[in-house]
Amino acid sequence: MTYNFDNKVNRRGTGCYKWDEAEKDGVIPMWVADMDFPVAPAIQEALQKRLSHGIFGYTMVQDCYYKAIQDWFLRRHQWQISRNSIIYTTGVVPAISCALKAMALPGEKVLVQTPVYNCFFSCIKNSGCDVLENPLRRDGDSYNIDFEDFEEKCSDEKTTVFLLCNPHNPAGRVWTREELQRINDICQRHGVRIISDEIHCELIMPGHTFTPFALVNKDAVILNSPSKAFNIAGLQIANIICDSPTLRRRINRAVNINEVCDVNPFGPVALEAAYNESEQWLDELNEYLWENYKALKGFFAKELPQVDVLRLEGTYLVWIDIHATGFSSDQLTEKLLNEGKVLVNSGTMYGRNAGEGYLRINIACPREQMMEGLRRIKAAL
């Protein structure tokens, strides 16, 4: 490998949410979805160059920003994006809220597939809408979509929007083109519009291929950002891709009403350096994450065989089944923090019913750090 992902960087005491939120000293955090790897050298160099200018006023996003996005998605995912379709904003979560406010009225239902990213619930509720769940169906070491239930929920006259997680957090699924086409066919039959959160789209494990939902339905609203794949979440840059001029005007209005229309000077610079100069770094990162996953899976198989590790197709967030331990998700999360000094996410964050009996573990860290966290989990159990 050209890049070394084994070097440990001390993030504690830097105002780091992942490391400094834990009240107990010496805790290994394996929860918040950011990585403990320094960003790609090209991004660091671009930010240093911008920093050396010394003035950080209001930022105008330039043509080179849009071109970087267009070139990346065409090259990487065969998706041709019109420059006019891109609306920049500060993050994917604000983008979800703005899209919902533009596409659903208060009191309408927004369909999600649980267990699912916890901010989906808050975004829907903050928009005055009701959450409607289409629970994913456990199938061996993975999940499938219950399409019969999905169609039933879409047929509800109050269901107007489906909020998709593609790839899926925390289930680790990379939806196939066939699955996405079937989702789209059902939504089309019932007049349900689609928002697809694709923030994890570059974190794909071997043997799997990411399909942008726009390749299935160009009228879907797509949300993406380099923040997860390139570890730049703190720079707050994301994009809403909307091909429909009418809907785009409504979303753009929501972006402005919610005051998330201005970005900082560093976000666009980092995005351009990520998409234009850091592809090899990303490819090697995915290789390293895959080796981390295999090491984790091997550890549990040998040391804690009662814990079932689900298949990871995408993201760096591993979903594990703890039913056999006898603990609830919340109980075990608390036990691991207090006795093992390791912080993970309780599955109940992602849907009280669908997530009970599971934990989510972030493996985006140097391998020895991950293994120490796993040893602590074993000791606590």
Side-chain angles (χ1 to χ4, degrees):
M1 278 193 173
T2 303
Y3 303 100
N4 185 356
F5 296 98
D6 286 318
N7 287 340
K8 185 176 179 181
V9 178
N10 182 12
R11 302 180 67 189
R12 202 177 295 281
T14 62
C16 168
Y17 188 73
K18 181 178 182 180
W19 283 84
D20 292 333
E21 174 70 9
E23 296 178 358
K24 299 179 182 297
D25 291 335
V27 169
I28 293 179
M30 304 180 78
W31 63 311
V32 174
D34 72 14
M35 302 191 285
D36 291 327
F37 307 123
V39 302
I43 299 175
Q44 295 185 46
E45 291 165 10
L47 291 173
Q48 288 285 358
K49 182 178 179 181
R50 179 65 184 87
L51 180 65
S52 68
H53 183 263
I55 300 175
F56 314 110
Y58 296 116
T59 298
M60 182 178 73
V61 172
Q62 301 180 74
D63 288 342
C64 52
Y65 174 89
Y66 297 99
K67 188 175 188 306
I69 296 168
Q70 291 173 294
D71 289 350
W72 175 267
F73 282 98
L74 183 59
R75 180 176 73 251
R76 191 91 177 175
H77 302 295
Q78 296 74 56
W79 176 21
Q80 190 161 6
I81 301 174
S82 163
R83 184 217 186 280
N84 292 333
S85 298
I86 303 170
I87 303 170
Y88 60 82
T89 185
T90 57
V92 163
V93 172
I96 293 171
S97 290
C98 292
L100 286 173
K101 287 180 174 67
M103 297 169 68
L105 294 172
E108 293 181 338
K109 296 179 182 179
V110 177
L111 185 60
V112 298
Q113 294 173 320
T114 51
V116 75
Y117 177 45
N118 52 293
C119 285
F120 277 22
F121 301 106
S122 57
C123 287
I124 293 167
K125 292 173 183 176
N126 290 342
S127 298
C129 297
D130 296 326
V131 176
L132 184 60
E133 297 184 31
N134 165 230
L136 295 174
R137 187 165 49 199
R138 178 75 183 271
D139 182 12
D141 65 348
S142 188
Y143 283 94
N144 287 320
I145 298 168
D146 183 341
F147 280 106
E148 183 177 341
D149 180 74
F150 184 79
E151 178 137 28
E152 181 182 335
K153 300 291 173 59
C154 284
S155 68
D156 185 328
E157 64 178 11
K158 294 188 72 177
T159 303
T160 55
V161 173
F162 169 51
L163 179 53
L164 172 67
C165 198
N166 177 37
H168 193 91
N169 167 23
R173 278 298 318 274
V174 175
W175 303 117
T176 66
R177 184 158 189 155
E178 291 72 24
E179 287 170 315
L180 297 178
Q181 186 63 60
R182 193 170 176 186
I183 285 171
N184 186 65
D185 291 345
I186 293 171
C187 287
Q188 292 285 88
R189 274 200 296 274
H190 298 286
V192 175
R193 293 194 284 190
I194 298 163
I195 302 170
S196 184
D197 172 2
E198 301 184 354
I199 194 171
H200 291 278
C201 70
E202 308 303 343
L203 299 162
I204 307 300
M205 298 300 103
H208 301 280
T209 301
F210 167 72
T211 302
F213 202 93
L215 297 185
V216 173
N217 181 350
K218 66 181 183 62
D219 293 326
V221 174
I222 312 298
L223 317 177
N224 57 42
S225 169
S227 62
K228 295 299 181 193
F230 293 96
N231 207 27
I232 54 173
L235 299 182
Q236 297 187 312
I237 191 72
N239 297 289
I240 304 168
I241 315 296
C242 178
D243 207 45
S244 164
T246 301
L247 183 53
R248 189 167 63 247
R249 282 195 295 270
R250 292 177 61 86
I251 294 173
N252 199 39
R253 181 62 179 153
V255 167
N256 281 270
I257 288 172
N258 289 277
E259 310 293 358
V260 287
C261 50
D262 292 318
V263 294
N264 70 73
F266 299 104
V269 169
L271 178 144
E272 291 172 39
Y275 287 164
N276 292 338
E277 304 177 71
S278 304
E279 192 163 5
Q280 182 183 347
W281 182 92
L282 175 65
D283 290 339
E284 293 191 13
L285 167 71
N286 279 326
E287 291 178 27
Y288 190 88
L289 292 173
W290 179 241
E291 293 301 321
N292 269 7
Y293 171 70
K294 290 195 295 184
L296 175 143
K297 193 170 174 62
F299 180 91
F300 277 108
K302 180 180 179 182
E303 306 292 346
L304 292 167
Q306 72 271 33
V307 174
D308 190 11
V309 178
L310 274 70
R311 185 165 74 243
L312 186 68
E313 299 177 358
T315 83
Y316 47 70
L317 306 164
V318 182
W319 193 235
I320 66 169
D321 183 340
I322 59 155
H323 284 92
T325 67
F327 293 99
S328 73
S329 296
D330 292 347
Q331 287 172 339
L332 187 52
T333 301
E334 192 70 17
K335 180 179 176 66
L336 293 180
L337 178 60
N338 292 331
E339 299 178 24
K341 288 195 172 183
V342 59
L343 183 54
V344 299
N345 289 118
S346 169
T348 57
M349 291 178 62
Y350 310 102
R352 176 59 59 176
N353 294 324
E356 180 55 75
Y358 295 87
L359 300 180
R360 192 188 79 167
I361 298 180
N362 179 346
I363 61 168
C365 61
R367 191 159 303 132
E368 179 49 40
Q369 178 181 308
M370 181 191 75
M371 297 306 296
E372 173 60 22
L374 298 181
R375 289 190 288 268
R376 292 185 184 193
I377 291 173
K378 177 190 173 185
L381 281 171

